[in-house]
Amino acid sequence: MTCADVIITYGTMLDRKSSQLREVLEMHKALSDANRLRILIALTGKELCVCQITELLQLAPSTVSKHLSILRQAHLIEMRKVGRWIHYRLSDQNVDTTAAEYIRLLGRSLDRDPQIKDDRKHLKEILKMDVDALCRRM
Amino acid sequence: MTCADVIITYGTMLDRKSSQLREVLEMHKALSDANRLRILIALTGKELCVCQITELLQLAPSTVSKHLSILRQAHLIEMRKVGRWIHYRLSDQNVDTTAAEYIRLLGRSLDRDPQIKDDRKHLKEILKMDVDALCRRM
DNA sequence: TCCATATTTCGTTACTTGGCGAAATATAGG
DNA sequence: CCTATATTTCGCCAAGTAACGAAATATGGA
């Protein structure tokens, strides 16, 4: 029961996208893929550009792009242009912390999952690398 | 923001089935189908037997059975034999209220969804009917 | 014991989804 | 205004999923 004390306001998360079964399902579906969860957990507390995420997941850029668009459609992440790159981050990281908080909780509770552990390590390396060089390799 | 004040402990829900990405995904997938959400919402605060659920959803018994087994596998519902019927209910309705609480919240936030509204009305009628007669028609 | 019946399992079919590579799009910077 | 390049869109294939009906599997009660 390591997280039993963690209490989050899931209400707002539901409110924003609720009153329509379709939208709730869209959110749940977005959370139902391993690679999309990996993306969300990687985005906890930081922004990443598409090529950094692509390097982390080791998938084709087109596949990563599709996943990002599904997460965007579900209002779980937001995008922002920075120079020649597009940065993604958890939705409303500052203002409305619900979705971001849920993901953070998820990440913590998956701390011992081998895949997630690997990702954390890999991500540290990626953040040390030059973004320019990283993108050029795609 | 009708539900903004509703705060739920999602942490325990994660704890019980966490530390494995696979199990978290299983839970999210179980929550990603409209008919399964309809079942969960119908079960809020009460037990129902399979034939009552089948009547509510208007699907083949075999299909309903499959949905129930997916929800069971995700630890979202529990079953219990009552006479010649099998009753289903939200997991840990009394003890650990997390999953049940999330579903309750979900139901409230979907209150105005036409499908969910219809279901509530239909369920009221079903509960008035004789279970024996209802099952015999399947 | 055996029958009636409530529920599940199995096999099939139609549809959805995740993956890739190729082509298209957009745009920062020379 | 080009060109290089970051990202997305498109078309395809393989794998997964929801639906059904038919058959199998309990099991309560006569």
Side-chain angles (χ1 to χ4, degrees), chain B residues 41 107-108 111 116-124:
Chain B
I41 290 169
R108 253 185 56 188
D111 229 11
I116 300 298
K117 253 163 62 181
D118 273 7
D119 279 359
R120 286 196 206 292
K121 213 163 120 188
H122 192 180
L123 188 52
K124 248 179 217 166

Side-chain angles (χ1 to χ4, degrees), chain B residues 35-36 59-60 62-63 67 81 83:
Chain B
N35 291 323
R36 285 197 291 271
L59 291 173
S62 58
T63 306
H67 282 311
K81 255 197 109 70

Side-chain angles (χ1 to χ4, degrees), chain A residues 28 31-32 37 102 106, chain B residues 24-32:
Chain A
H28 287 160
L31 293 167
S32 295
L37 280 194
Y102 178 61
L106 209 55
Chain B
V24 171
L25 288 173
E26 203 166 39
M27 181 180 78
H28 287 159
K29 274 183 194 162
L31 293 167
S32 297

Side-chain angles (χ1 to χ4, degrees), chain B residues 23-78:
Chain B
E23 294 181 335
V24 171
L25 288 173
E26 203 166 39
M27 181 180 78
H28 287 159
K29 274 183 194 162
L31 293 167
S32 297
D33 177 88
N35 291 323
R36 285 197 291 271
L37 280 193
R38 291 172 67 198
I39 293 174
L40 290 172
I41 290 169
L43 288 177
T44 301
K46 54 180 140 345
E47 282 192 350
L48 295 173
C49 85
V50 180
C51 55
Q52 290 174 311
I53 297 172
T54 304
E55 169 65 23
L56 178 67
L57 298 190
Q58 296 287 304
L59 291 173
S62 58
T63 306
V64 172
S65 179
K66 189 75 210 300
H67 282 311
L68 290 170
S69 94
I70 289 169
L71 290 170
R72 208 160 3 107
Q73 192 112 15
H75 303 289
L76 290 168
I77 60 174
E78 289 170 349

Side-chain angles (χ1 to χ4, degrees), chain A residues 33 35-36 59-60 62-63 67 81 83-84:
Chain A
D33 176 86
N35 292 323
R36 285 196 291 271
L59 292 172
S62 58
T63 306
H67 282 311
K81 253 193 112 66
R84 65 219 291 199

